[in-house]
Amino acid sequence: MKKVMIILLVAFIIIQFFPIDKTNKPLNPGMDFLKIKTNTSPEIAKLVTNSCYDCHSDETKYPWYTNIAPASWWIKNHIDEGRKHLNFSTFATYEPKRQIHKMEECVEMLEKHEMPLESYYLGHQDAKLTDTQRKELITYFKREIQETKFKTE
């Protein structure tokens, strides 16, 4: 048992030498969702930023525990997958049809309570949405969908 514990401790120490890349891409404000959606209220912008931007933008704020492997690897994978699926920092680069689709997915994820992830709340209590806030975001995204459709017709 003692040998197993020593091996695990040595392995834990060794994996600390393989940190994640915490570099965020340079921002282009003209491409950001909240910058191009000029009718967004400060309250809604704060909700989107607090609940979505860490995983779905190039503005990730890495907490202290992202310095500890293997948790850091798991978190980095979530961030990479989140950005791949939807990146609010590059939203303006999406074609209007894709923008609409991404906002429809936001509505769906909010309605199903699938986003933000429950595991995200552990270190980010400010990201936890009340039912009222969730409804406000759903209404907001639905309005933005309609506005984007109107502009593309």
Side-chain angles (χ1 to χ4, degrees), residues 6 14 20 41 65 133 138:
I6 290 172
I14 289 171
I20 61 170
S41 71
Y65 49 86
Q133 291 170 325
I138 290 167

Side-chain angles (χ1 to χ4, degrees), residues 75-108:
I75 293 165
K76 180 63 173 167
N77 182 60
H78 273 279
I79 292 166
D80 290 346
E81 288 297 314
R83 286 178 181 166
K84 187 169 79 175
H85 189 72
L86 168 62
N87 189 335
F88 285 115
S89 294
T90 59
F91 198 81
T93 65
Y94 299 164
E95 294 294 324
K97 191 173 185 176
R98 186 169 183 216
Q99 288 181 2
I100 291 166
H101 178 70
K102 292 300 178 185
M103 289 186 287
E104 288 171 342
E105 287 180 333
C106 289
V107 169
E108 181 181 345

Side-chain angles (χ1 to χ4, degrees), residues 25-141:
K25 294 177 187 172
L27 298 175
N28 180 344
M31 298 291 127
D32 186 80
F33 177 80
L34 292 173
K35 301 293 188 274
I36 65 171
K37 299 297 181 183
T38 56
N39 294 331
T40 305
S41 71
E43 297 79 21
I44 292 293
K46 185 176 180 182
L47 289 176
V48 173
T49 302
N50 288 345
S51 300
C52 310
Y53 266 51
D54 263 351
C55 294
H56 293 284
S57 80
D58 295 325
E59 298 181 47
T60 303
K61 296 177 190 94
Y62 291 93
W64 66 269
Y65 49 86
T66 57
N67 293 316
I68 303 169
S72 60
W73 303 339
W74 180 72
I75 293 165
K76 180 63 173 167
N77 182 60
H78 273 279
I79 292 166
D80 290 346
E81 288 297 314
R83 286 178 181 166
K84 187 169 79 175
H85 189 72
L86 168 62
N87 189 335
F88 285 115
S89 294
T90 59
F91 198 81
T93 65
Y94 299 164
E95 294 294 324
K97 191 173 185 176
R98 186 169 183 216
Q99 288 181 2
I100 291 166
H101 178 70
K102 292 300 178 185
M103 289 186 287
E104 288 171 342
E105 287 180 333
C106 289
V107 169
E108 181 181 345
M109 295 292 110
L110 286 163
E111 287 176 340
K112 291 181 176 181
H113 291 250
E114 291 182 13
M115 286 287 160
L117 295 173
E118 288 289 327
S119 60
Y120 185 67
Y121 297 145
L122 294 174
H124 304 89
Q125 285 299 310
D126 60 334
K128 198 167 214 169
L129 298 171
T130 65
D131 288 339
T132 301
Q133 291 170 325
R134 192 171 291 278
K135 286 175 187 170
E136 288 172 353
L137 282 175
I138 290 167
T139 300
Y140 166 74
F141 281 117

